[in-house]
Amino acid sequence: MKYGIVENHKFILIDENRQRLENTIPFMPGLKETDIVSYEDSEIEQGHDGVWYEKGFAPVVPDDVKLEKAKAERAKAVAAITVEVDGMVFDGDETAQARMARAITMFQASSLPDDYTTAWVLEDNTVAQVTVSQLAQALLLAGQKQTELWTKPYEKDGTNG
């Protein structure tokens, strides 16, 4: 149960404690204790703007707001990518992918064999000797995970369009 004062289906004040609202009324010109109405939780909803409304009156979330939210969620997911190759867990975020690509390019440009090893800091901050082939596999897997995540904000799945 919640108590509130509503104007045009939008809550001006809302609280689970009626007494707190009654104590606030004297400081709000134009409002009186009789303006406080009780609401069941099923009768109210919080809008995307963080404001509470009577059920069915929250403003519709604009597509551009949905898209920006989905892009922010995607960025967090991309930043958290990890991949496993031969029992080693690699960071797979965009910075790690760029580092892997540079290392692979450097090794290949230097005509080093695929089993050439180099020191690499893994996701758990341990240092391991990894081969060019292992880095290439990690880069491929990270890129595939990122590709899966990248199109999500644009999919028409009910959350963003």
Side-chain angles (χ1 to χ4, degrees):
M1 174 82 59
K2 291 194 175 36
Y3 301 92
I5 298 175
V6 176
E7 188 174 278
N8 295 323
H9 307 287
K10 179 178 178 179
F11 282 83
I12 298 170
L13 291 174
I14 189 168
D15 202 316
E16 293 178 357
N17 183 315
R18 183 181 176 97
Q19 186 61 53
R20 278 194 295 239
L21 286 180
E22 290 174 5
N23 293 344
T24 304
I25 294 290
F27 302 100
M28 304 207 54
L31 298 179
K32 51 193 176 303
E33 199 172 301
T34 56
D35 294 330
I36 299 173
V37 180
S38 64
Y39 289 88
E40 295 295 328
D41 289 343
S42 62
E43 298 175 301
I44 62 176
E45 62 186 337
Q46 191 170 25
H48 70 88
D49 54 2
V51 176
W52 288 92
Y53 296 86
E54 291 178 316
K55 190 78 165 191
F57 290 94
V60 175
V61 180
D63 286 343
D64 59 334
V65 172
K66 289 180 189 176
L67 181 60
E68 290 309 310
K69 181 179 179 195
K71 284 181 176 181
E73 290 170 2
R74 175 188 67 191
K76 287 180 188 174
V78 168
I81 291 173
T82 60
V83 295
E84 186 173 338
V85 175
D86 296 335
M88 296 179 287
V89 179
F90 292 78
D91 286 314
D93 60 49
E94 289 183 289
T95 300
Q97 289 180 50
R99 289 185 61 239
M100 287 183 235
R102 281 193 310 272
I104 294 164
T105 301
M106 177 186 67
F107 297 141
Q108 290 175 341
S110 301
S111 300
L112 295 170
D114 286 348
D115 62 352
Y116 179 82
T117 63
T118 188
W120 198 264
V121 178
L122 299 174
E123 182 270 338
D124 67 358
N125 293 321
T126 60
V127 178
Q129 290 295 314
V130 300
T131 66
V132 175
S133 293
Q134 288 169 323
L135 281 179
Q137 184 66 24
L139 178 59
L140 174 65
L141 294 172
Q144 289 172 335
K145 279 191 176 182
Q146 183 170 344
T147 298
E148 288 174 22
L149 296 168
W150 208 254
T151 58
K152 292 217 182 282
Y154 306 99
E155 293 172 0
K156 302 293 183 195
D157 63 1
T159 60
N160 50 13

